[in-house]
Amino acid sequence: MATKISEDTNIQLDLKTIAMIVGGAISLASMWFTLQGEIQDLNNKIESFSGDEFVQKMEFQLKDELIRNNVIQIDNATKELKEDIEENKESIKDLENKVYKR
């Protein structure tokens, strides 16, 4: 059996529940306005951001990434060369010992 809700329907809420409902509504409203303000700030930043500035930033980032990758590759190649030099030194010592019978 369904209860009919009309103007004569009585609802009883304690003070704690009413405070929670009001607090939740205020919290949601403040969050909404804060988000709207942040969105507006971001829109203003996007509008004031010139195309040339964007290209310069992007160009800088790409060049920086390229340089960093080159440095890493050079470092790896240097490590490999050092290992090869050490192996060659050992081979030369072995050959010298064989030739000079040390």
Side-chain angles (χ1 to χ4, degrees), residues 46-98:
I46 289 171
E47 289 172 1
S48 67
F49 195 62
S50 69
D52 292 338
E53 187 177 328
F54 175 74
V55 170
Q56 289 174 351
K57 274 190 167 184
M58 189 60 113
E59 183 179 5
F60 174 77
Q61 288 175 347
L62 291 173
K63 285 182 178 179
D64 183 54
E65 184 179 337
L66 178 66
I67 290 170
R68 289 179 189 274
N69 286 337
N70 284 342
V71 168
I72 290 170
Q73 288 176 354
I74 290 170
D75 186 46
N76 290 339
T78 305
K79 287 178 184 176
E80 291 175 10
L81 290 174
K82 284 181 182 179
E83 291 172 1
D84 290 343
I85 290 171
E86 290 300 321
E87 289 175 8
N88 289 339
K89 282 182 180 180
E90 290 175 12
S91 297
I92 290 171
K93 283 182 185 179
D94 290 341
L95 290 173
E96 283 179 347
N97 288 337
K98 287 180 183 177

